Amino acid sequence: MHRSTSQIADHAIEWARARLDSPAYAARCLAFVEDAVERPNDLEVFGGDSAAESAHLYRDHRRTGDPPRGAFVFYDAVGVIDGVEGSWGHVGLGLGDGRIIHAWDRVRIDRIHEVESLPPALGWTAPTWWGWVPLDRVLAGAQPRAWPTDETAEAAAQRQQAESLSTLRGSDDVGR
């Protein structure tokens, strides 16, 4: 089934809104926005292992102005995740009205520039606005995918993050 970018954005935002106030994606902002796009649309998108890496891979993340509905909205942020310090960035999903839905301490909706005023987690810098990437750029190279139903999106995101961080640390103990 072929969906328009607008329909994909609508499904993504509906999926994301259903998780408002959930802490399940805390510190996993990229997993949250990717899951929002992928899971209700039976797609797999291909970005980086962090919000910052994805912003750079999409190359045109420094757009200014209000991001459209479904855009990936990026911020610079430095912090520690599972003992690994890095410039991980932060990302949210544009709602098209100057606000984003994103995973912070919980899934929440904020105005795009108010995110810079949110209290950062211990050991993190406050996020700094970078810009946004239109959803059609995120969808470039996306492939159809039927998502398994034996693992929740939240559990899968947590498992994948642990695997990525283990690789960054050079560990071979994933899954043990």
Side-chain angles (χ1 to χ4, degrees), residues 2-10 69-70 134-137 139:
H2 179 72
R3 292 187 179 137
S4 70
T5 302
S6 177
Q7 290 170 317
I8 291 170
D10 289 346
R69 195 167 171 79
L135 183 56
D136 60 349
R137 177 65 183 102
L139 295 174

Side-chain angles (χ1 to χ4, degrees), residues 39-78:
R39 293 196 177 251
N41 291 297
D42 292 323
L43 293 172
E44 184 170 16
V45 299
F46 300 96
D49 288 333
S50 69
E53 187 178 333
S54 290
H56 292 296
L57 285 172
Y58 295 135
R59 296 189 187 172
D60 60 353
H61 68 279
R62 299 225 183 237
R63 293 174 188 246
T64 60
D66 282 349
R69 195 167 171 79
F72 277 30
V73 181
F74 291 101
Y75 302 82
D76 186 22
V78 175

Side-chain angles (χ1 to χ4, degrees), residues 10-23:
D10 289 346
H11 291 158
I13 291 167
E14 180 181 339
W15 186 95
R17 283 183 180 274
R19 283 144 184 88
L20 273 173
D21 294 321
S22 170

Side-chain angles (χ1 to χ4, degrees), residues 27 32 36 40-42 51 73 76 89-90 99 112 122 126 129:
F32 174 71
N41 291 297
D42 292 323
V73 181
D76 186 22
H90 182 64
R99 299 179 306 154
I112 58 173
L122 184 63
W129 166 263

Side-chain angles (χ1 to χ4, degrees), residues 1 66 99 115 155 158 169 174:
M1 175 165 95
D66 282 349
R99 299 179 306 154
V115 171
Q158 189 170 22
R169 287 191 296 262
V174 175

Side-chain angles (χ1 to χ4, degrees), residues 5-176:
T5 302
S6 177
Q7 290 170 317
I8 291 170
D10 289 346
H11 291 158
I13 291 167
E14 180 181 339
W15 186 95
R17 283 183 180 274
R19 283 144 184 88
L20 273 173
D21 294 321
S22 170
Y25 280 94
R28 294 195 312 276
C29 59
L30 180 62
F32 174 71
V33 296
E34 285 182 347
D35 281 354
V37 169
E38 292 174 332
R39 293 196 177 251
N41 291 297
D42 292 323
L43 293 172
E44 184 170 16
V45 299
F46 300 96
D49 288 333
S50 69
E53 187 178 333
S54 290
H56 292 296
L57 285 172
Y58 295 135
R59 296 189 187 172
D60 60 353
H61 68 279
R62 299 225 183 237
R63 293 174 188 246
T64 60
D66 282 349
R69 195 167 171 79
F72 277 30
V73 181
F74 291 101
Y75 302 82
D76 186 22
V78 175
V80 177
I81 298 178
D82 287 346
V84 178
E85 183 175 351
S87 179
W88 303 104
H90 182 64
V91 63
L93 186 65
L95 298 178
D97 61 358
R99 299 179 306 154
I100 63 167
I101 187 165
H102 63 121
W104 193 252
D105 55 337
R106 59 184 167 77
V107 175
R108 55 186 292 148
I109 294 174
D110 288 295
R111 296 203 106 0
I112 58 173
H113 292 293
E114 290 175 359
V115 171
E116 295 175 297
S117 299
L118 292 174
L122 184 63
W124 279 75
T125 62
T128 305
W129 166 263
W130 261 346
W132 54 272
V133 173
L135 183 56
D136 60 349
R137 177 65 183 102
V138 173
L139 295 174
Q143 297 292 316
R145 178 171 178 182
W147 290 93
T149 57
D150 62 338
E151 181 179 42
T152 67
E154 294 83 356
Q158 189 170 22
R159 178 183 46 74
Q160 290 166 350
Q161 182 183 41
E163 290 169 357
S164 292
L165 290 170
S166 181
T167 299
L168 286 173
R169 287 191 296 262
S171 174
D172 61 354
D173 62 353
V174 175
R176 290 187 190 166

